[in-house]
Amino acid sequence: MRRLWTPWAGPLLVAALAFATRLGPLLASGTLDDAIEYDDGVYYAAAAHALHGELPYRDFAFVHPPGVIWFALPFAAIGRVAGDVVGLAVARIVLCAVGALTAVLVLRLVARIAPAWSLLAGLGYAVWRLPVLTERTLLLEPLLAVLVLAALVLLVSPDGTRPSGRRALGAGLLVGAALAVKVWAAVAVVVLGIWLLWRHTARAWPFAGGVAAASAALVGPAALAAPGAFVEQVVRAQAQRAAIPVPLADRFARLGDLWSLPYATIGERAPWLLPGTAALVLVLVVVRAWRVPAARPVVALAAADVALVLAGPTYWYHYLAFAAPLLVVGACAALPTPARGPLADGSERGVWGRTAYGVGLVALVALGALVQLRAVAPPDSPATVRAFAAAHRCTWFLTAAEEIRADVLSRNLADGCPRTPDLYAVLLAEEVTVQSGRARVQAESAAVQARVLVELAAADAAVTRGTGFLDAATTTVLRTQFLQVGGEAETLWWVRRG
């Protein structure tokens, strides 16, 4: 009888489900080429600026290492030829594929640590709302997660066998690339470096060499072009970033963000319940999983990553996503190994039993998750704002995301219109010298207002969605020099007077 289950069936099932849960809602809502984020517009715009000969730190403010810019260069190049909406849409499809790859790597790693639960781990990660909402567009956390997870796949073996020098070097290169995307990867450098020194001392050196080589190659050119600005923006601006208070309960709630639970109501009535429950579960997972030697580097890194995010000065919905795959692996390592039944049976029948068990459980999770996965389309049509922007030579926008949505970012750069990928980065860089000691908004930043005035002076049209970035003086300039000629929903269209 021909075998229906092959070694590739599980990974293909996991990859297909993960890809569908990430891309499907974007297609269903028509938002694949629309604005759904602030940050993805920043990273795409930074890559577009780099294509025009500008470098981060030297020519524009950027508060992260430049790795994501180099990653986004092919998409910006596509946008330069086929239009920015096409470039960003391709980037989102690729990030959905990155999420699918991460789900498969979760399966692979769990197969080495807790084989009975590997398929369930991959399927569970595929529909977990926390990574699903993150791994659908151009953000830092999906890249961070897949690079660190791939490094762990190279390093971890079921029996604790020492990894080869090539594997250690490859893991170092991957972690170094992650460090070039976001400084949070420094936690992985420290944790995995200590683990290698403790367990496989000789392999710590090729790992460290790989980290140094990859990070130097990816960060060096931009950092050396403006070393002072690099330190100010990537190191000091982040280290001195003022806190934006987010209740601990809200941060913990993301870890269990599967169902339509009334988190706010629960937090008001019993503020200790969510963080207390999540903390208890995490402690139990760490204690139980630590008993599995192969899981220890994963557990240590997951605990350190979660602590980093929970203790950080700011918090956004996608921050914990980079630790999500490690949490799944750790949770599976904490589960008991079945002694009998379909999950313990290594035969084909046992595989099918495990599949049925996993698919059934994940289907219940997906039912709750998919209800919330539908992307919400903006209140106005992108077609109308694209037609308005196309009729003018240099149209100004508050954010890069809105400029991409209008499909004119690359055209504006080619025409020499002064633009800034991230006005919020300008604010954070200014905070290094101002040191207000509190979280400010763009309207309170003299540097942001000065930059906006430069851009408005060169524009013959403007599109605004609210004026939250502008102070009273800049708003007056906008209303004095430009005439409002229309709009749709919250979006207003302006043309230069006279």
Side-chain angles (χ1 to χ4, degrees), residues 22-89:
R22 286 150 178 77
L23 182 60
L26 296 178
L27 295 175
S29 62
T31 52
L32 179 63
D33 62 349
D34 211 331
I36 60 173
E37 259 287 346
Y38 175 87
D39 288 355
D40 60 357
V42 168
Y43 306 140
Y44 178 93
H49 279 255
L51 281 181
H52 283 80
E54 300 180 38
L55 283 177
Y57 324 119
R58 185 191 70 184
D59 301 313
F60 58 86
F62 195 72
V63 293
H64 294 289
V68 69
I69 298 178
W70 313 145
F71 175 80
L73 281 176
F75 313 124
I78 292 172
R80 192 171 182 175
V81 176
D84 294 309
V85 292
V86 175
L88 186 57

Side-chain angles (χ1 to χ4, degrees), residues 369-433:
L370 292 176
V371 169
Q372 303 180 67
L373 290 181
R374 292 190 298 270
V376 178
D380 56 334
S381 167
T384 54
V385 72
R386 289 169 189 171
F388 173 78
H392 299 86
R393 185 191 67 83
C394 190
T395 306
W396 178 81
F397 292 82
L398 279 170
T399 69
E402 294 294 328
E403 192 172 9
I404 296 165
R405 182 177 188 249
D407 207 16
V408 294
L409 184 145
S410 293
R411 192 199 71 181
N412 279 347
L413 290 176
D415 290 342
C417 304
R419 299 295 293 126
T420 304
D422 187 8
L423 288 173
Y424 190 60
V426 174
L427 166 66
L428 293 178
E430 180 190 49
E431 188 65 27
V432 172
T433 54

Side-chain angles (χ1 to χ4, degrees), residues 138-498:
L138 188 59
L139 295 173
L140 303 179
E141 288 74 17
L143 302 178
L144 204 59
V146 73
L147 290 168
V148 172
L149 194 62
L152 283 165
V153 169
L154 288 177
L155 293 175
V156 174
S157 61
D159 56 0
T161 303
R162 183 173 66 177
S164 67
R166 288 184 179 181
R167 282 179 170 265
L169 175 61
L173 291 170
L174 289 167
V175 175
L179 190 60
V181 171
K182 194 167 186 174
V183 293
W184 285 357
V187 175
V189 175
V190 173
V191 171
L192 295 181
I194 291 174
W195 175 70
L196 285 171
L197 280 171
W198 174 42
R199 294 284 297 175
H200 312 293
T201 305
R203 298 297 181 249
W205 310 119
F207 173 79
V211 171
S215 57
L218 294 172
V219 176
L224 292 176
F230 172 79
V231 172
E232 179 180 279
Q233 295 170 28
V234 177
V235 181
R236 295 183 62 193
Q238 295 286 11
Q240 297 176 207
R241 194 167 181 174
I244 301 177
V246 177
L248 192 60
D250 291 349
R251 301 188 184 208
F252 267 114
R254 282 292 174 187
L255 292 176
D257 200 355
L258 292 170
W259 306 92
S260 300
L261 294 175
Y263 293 116
T265 302
I266 294 173
E268 291 172 1
R269 295 182 179 179
W272 52 267
L273 184 59
L274 285 173
T277 302
L280 178 61
V281 171
L282 286 173
V283 170
L284 290 175
V285 166
V286 169
V287 171
R288 285 192 59 86
W290 195 259
R291 300 176 183 177
V292 182
R296 288 175 182 171
V298 180
V299 173
L301 184 54
D305 286 345
V306 171
L308 173 69
V309 175
L310 295 182
T314 60
Y315 180 81
W316 300 105
Y317 78 92
H318 47 80
Y319 278 9
L320 271 172
F322 87 108
L326 305 180
L327 292 172
V328 172
V329 176
C332 290
L335 293 173
T337 301
R340 58 184 177 180
L343 292 178
D345 188 355
S347 67
E348 184 175 332
R349 178 183 175 185
V351 171
W352 279 109
R354 188 158 59 244
T355 302
Y357 178 81
V359 170
L361 182 58
V362 170
L364 294 176
V365 175
L367 183 63
L370 292 176
V371 169
Q372 303 180 67
L373 290 181
R374 292 190 298 270
V376 178
D380 56 334
S381 167
T384 54
V385 72
R386 289 169 189 171
F388 173 78
H392 299 86
R393 185 191 67 83
C394 190
T395 306
W396 178 81
F397 292 82
L398 279 170
T399 69
E402 294 294 328
E403 192 172 9
I404 296 165
R405 182 177 188 249
D407 207 16
V408 294
L409 184 145
S410 293
R411 192 199 71 181
N412 279 347
L413 290 176
D415 290 342
C417 304
R419 299 295 293 126
T420 304
D422 187 8
L423 288 173
Y424 190 60
V426 174
L427 166 66
L428 293 178
E430 180 190 49
E431 188 65 27
V432 172
T433 54
V434 173
Q435 296 185 357
S436 64
R438 62 180 180 84
R440 299 185 301 149
V441 296
Q442 287 89 333
E444 299 176 281
S445 168
V448 169
Q449 302 311 306
R451 184 61 191 172
V452 168
L453 290 174
V454 168
E455 295 176 3
L456 283 175
D460 60 348
V463 175
T464 61
R465 187 189 292 266
T467 55
F469 284 20
L470 310 182
D471 65 10
T474 306
T475 301
T476 299
V477 170
L478 173 67
R479 296 184 180 278
T480 302
Q481 298 184 5
F482 293 81
L483 175 68
Q484 183 184 333
V485 295
E488 189 176 17
E490 299 176 354
T491 301
L492 301 178
W493 305 338
W494 309 77
V495 297
R496 183 169 292 280
R497 296 178 184 271

Side-chain angles (χ1 to χ4, degrees), residues 5 9-22 98-112 114-129 131-132 135 149 324-325 327-333 335 354-355 358-359 361-363 365-366:
W5 188 266
L12 288 175
L13 175 62
V14 167
L17 181 60
F19 189 71
T21 56
R22 286 150 178 77
V98 168
L101 173 60
T102 303
V104 172
L105 291 175
V106 167
L107 181 151
R108 288 287 303 275
L109 191 55
V110 174
R112 299 181 182 182
W117 305 108
S118 60
L119 183 61
L120 181 60
L123 294 174
Y125 184 84
V127 300
W128 187 5
R129 188 169 185 254
V132 165
E135 294 170 346
L149 194 62
L327 292 172
V328 172
V329 176
C332 290
L335 293 173
R354 188 158 59 244
T355 302
V359 170
L361 182 58
V362 170
V365 175

